[in-house]
Amino acid sequence: MAVDPRWPVALVRGAVPVALGLLLWVAMAGGEQERQQTLKAQPGADAASLSQRRRHNELIMAALREAAQTDDNVAQRRVPWQK
């Protein structure tokens, strides 16, 4: 049983892109911890800002939920509207 001489070439051509992808993945994953530290050091990452942002998101979701449950046009409400 003879081995076709094109097989080694096909294997190399298939392995090169996989190896390059693996090397790029390793290079990018190596900086993940540094990226996490940078994100933690950004302004707005403290507990007070996060809780304020969470409360704001809750208010928005409540308004969207109310708008979805009513047939009224909530965008056209009068000024003394409360969240």
Side-chain angles (χ1 to χ4, degrees):
M1 184 167 154
V3 176
D4 191 359
R6 294 180 293 180
W7 269 101
V9 175
L11 279 173
V12 169
R13 284 185 178 173
V16 167
V18 173
L20 285 175
L22 182 62
L23 286 174
L24 286 173
W25 182 77
V26 167
M28 298 305 266
E32 181 66 20
Q33 288 180 348
E34 181 181 327
R35 188 180 72 84
Q36 290 291 334
Q37 293 297 327
T38 304
L39 288 174
K40 286 181 184 177
Q42 283 186 342
D46 57 306
S49 295
L50 290 176
S51 67
Q52 182 181 7
R53 194 174 318 140
R54 193 173 296 119
R55 175 71 178 138
H56 182 258
N57 288 342
E58 288 172 1
L59 292 173
I60 290 174
M61 289 305 294
L64 289 173
R65 201 174 300 113
E66 180 187 353
Q69 292 173 351
T70 183
D71 291 335
D72 297 338
N73 187 352
V74 295
Q76 298 296 326
R77 286 192 178 164
R78 295 286 165 199
V79 174
W81 179 77
Q82 294 183 0
K83 294 181 182 179

